[in-house]
């Protein structure tokens, strides 16, 4: 089988350039195009530190119209991911989406579009295998612990809060945990936001500091005991085996798939 020709959207960003490096080291994938609205016209190889000799282009639709892209990988930002995904799917091209920030309504719309166009899309809020296990373990613990809080830690350039991973984790817990409002009924925030964001009666806290990459603790509490499930991505390479697997698998699918775990 010939190599899958990949277009990386957001190729100059922290994740996008890591994907470019991962493709260069991978078997079965080749970088065909690099899209970013910064550095247009420059060589992506110079930016990502690879041997690729591909000029960065600014318009994703124009790249897809060239007709030689087998799969798009998108790591841009929450403001553009909806439009980008629509553009790619409408042209019948499979997509792996790492960008976080889809709303529930947008996910439903994308599912319908995949069905209509008979094309695959993978949206994974976290591509690290350890993070997928953390979410699975959190779901298991939620059967036995009815009180939980999530603390997620990211670098201070992250634009969306709470993180996509924390929202995915919260969704898994919500399915299992008996819904109720946690904490003291009379508790009062002396400074607004002190108790974090509310999700189905439990709290999500977002820390943004230089030094962090992507980390999360899911803390369950009960009488006389606390269970903490923690995952740390020490660098962005931790996400790459998942992204490469996602590309290879999503081209075989014809549906919108939420979560890398569905492909493992
Ligand atoms: P970043 O800001 O470093 O990179 C984003 C890149 O997208 C930039 O180069 C920017 O110029 C480009 N861009 C923005 N709008 C564009 C557009 N309309 N067209 C083309 N390019 C555009 O961000 P990052 O740290 O690389 O993160 C990117 C996304 O990935 C975020 O949503 C982040 O939350 C998410 N993320 C997901 C995972 C995961 O495992 N799923 C892991 C880390 C980060």
């Amino acid at each position: 089988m010939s190599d899958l020709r990949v277009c990386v959207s957001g190729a100059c960003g922290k994740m996008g350039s890591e994907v470019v490096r991962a493709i260069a080291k991978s078997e079965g994938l080749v970088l065909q195009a690099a899209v970013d609205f910064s550095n247009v016209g420059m060589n992506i190889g110079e930016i990502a530190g690879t041997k690729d000799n591909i000029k960065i282009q600014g318009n994703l639709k124009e790249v897809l119209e060239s007709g030689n892209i087998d799969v798009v990988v998108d790591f841009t930002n929450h403001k553009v991911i909806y439009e980008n995904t629509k553009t790619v799917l409408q042209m019948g091209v499979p997509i792996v989406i790492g960008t976080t920030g889809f709303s529930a309504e947008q996910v439903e719309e994308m599912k319908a579009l995949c069905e209509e166009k008979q094309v695959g899309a993978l949206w994974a809020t976290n591509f690290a295998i350890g993070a997928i296990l953390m979410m699975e373990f959190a779901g298991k613990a939620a059967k036995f612990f009815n009180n939980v809080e999530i603390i997620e830690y990211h670098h201070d350039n992250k634009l969306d809060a709470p993180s996509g991973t924390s929202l995915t984790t919260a969704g898994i817990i919500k399915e299992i945990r008996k819904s109720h409002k946690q904490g003291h009924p009379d508790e009062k925030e002396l400074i607004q936001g002190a108790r974090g964001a509310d999700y189905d009666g439990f709290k999500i806290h977002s820390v943004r500091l230089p030094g962090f990459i992507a980390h999360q603790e899911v803390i369950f509490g009960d009488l006389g005991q606390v269970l903490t499930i923690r995952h740390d991505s020490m660098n962005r390479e931790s996400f790459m085996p998942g992204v490469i697997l996602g590309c290879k698998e999503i081209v075989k699918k014809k549906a919108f798939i939420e979560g890398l775990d569905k492909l493992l």
Side-chain angles (χ1 to χ4, degrees):
M1 210 179 105
S2 50
D3 286 349
L4 282 177
R5 296 162 302 174
V6 186
C7 165
V8 179
S9 164
C12 300
K14 292 181 281 299
M15 285 298 286
S17 53
E18 195 69 53
V19 175
V20 171
R21 287 188 284 279
I23 292 171
K25 287 186 224 150
S26 75
E27 276 176 24
L29 264 61
V30 62
L31 185 73
Q32 184 74 19
V35 177
D36 203 298
F37 66 8
S38 61
N39 304 312
V40 173
M42 281 182 68
N43 186 347
I44 189 62
E46 278 171 36
I47 289 172
T50 61
K51 290 187 181 140
D52 294 299
N53 186 13
I54 290 173
K55 284 212 178 348
I56 296 159
Q57 292 173 262
N59 189 313
L60 180 59
K61 191 159 187 271
E62 279 173 21
V63 170
L64 297 177
E65 277 163 357
S66 71
N68 56 9
I69 303 296
D70 297 316
V71 59
V72 171
V73 177
D74 189 292
F75 280 97
T76 52
N77 69 50
H78 64 284
K79 292 183 210 146
V80 297
I81 186 51
Y82 172 68
E83 285 305 325
N84 275 6
T85 306
K86 253 188 3 186
T87 302
V88 176
L89 293 178
Q90 267 160 357
M91 298 193 67
V93 178
I95 182 168
V96 171
I97 310 150
T99 310
T100 50
F102 269 134
S103 69
E105 296 75 36
Q106 287 170 342
V107 167
E108 289 311 311
E109 204 183 312
M110 293 305 133
K111 281 182 184 167
L113 195 50
C114 283
E115 172 80 33
E116 183 197 325
K117 297 285 175 185
Q118 286 293 290
V119 64
L122 167 67
W123 180 43
T125 54
N126 203 312
F127 282 98
I129 182 75
I132 293 164
L133 290 171
M134 167 192 62
M135 291 187 253
E136 190 175 327
F137 297 157
K140 288 209 160 98
K143 272 188 204 160
F144 304 98
F145 289 82
N146 211 18
N147 288 279
V148 59
E149 300 208 7
I150 298 174
I151 309 177
E152 53 97 343
Y153 309 79
H154 280 82
H155 57 87
D156 59 346
N157 287 319
K158 185 167 175 59
L159 297 178
D160 52 323
S163 70
T165 305
S166 68
L167 286 171
T168 305
T169 312
I172 292 168
I173 293 170
K174 184 183 172 195
E175 291 289 302
I176 294 154
R177 169 183 167 274
K178 196 166 156 260
S179 181
H180 71 111
K181 186 165 171 19
Q182 289 178 196
H184 197 285
D186 296 333
E187 86 180 6
K188 181 178 173 223
E189 287 183 329
L190 300 182
I191 300 175
Q192 197 189 354
R195 288 286 291 118
D198 189 78
Y199 187 102
D200 196 39
F202 65 90
K203 300 293 182 185
I204 305 178
H205 311 266
S206 298
V207 178
R208 296 288 176 266
L209 283 172
F212 285 122
I213 300 281
H215 317 254
Q216 180 167 290
E217 283 174 9
V218 189
I219 308 171
F220 294 91
D222 205 339
L223 290 176
Q225 59 177 324
V226 169
L227 170 68
T228 303
I229 303 168
R230 180 177 172 114
H231 177 258
D232 298 274
S233 272
M234 303 305 200
N235 57 42
R236 292 180 178 84
E237 271 181 290
S238 62
F239 304 115
M240 293 305 124
V243 174
I244 299 294
L245 174 87
C247 290
K248 290 180 178 173
E249 292 301 316
I250 203 59
V251 294
K252 303 176 200 161
K253 310 284 178 195
K254 298 196 183 318
F256 187 95
I257 294 170
E258 216 176 317
L260 186 67
D261 52 311
K262 314 287 186 318
L263 297 181
L264 293 175

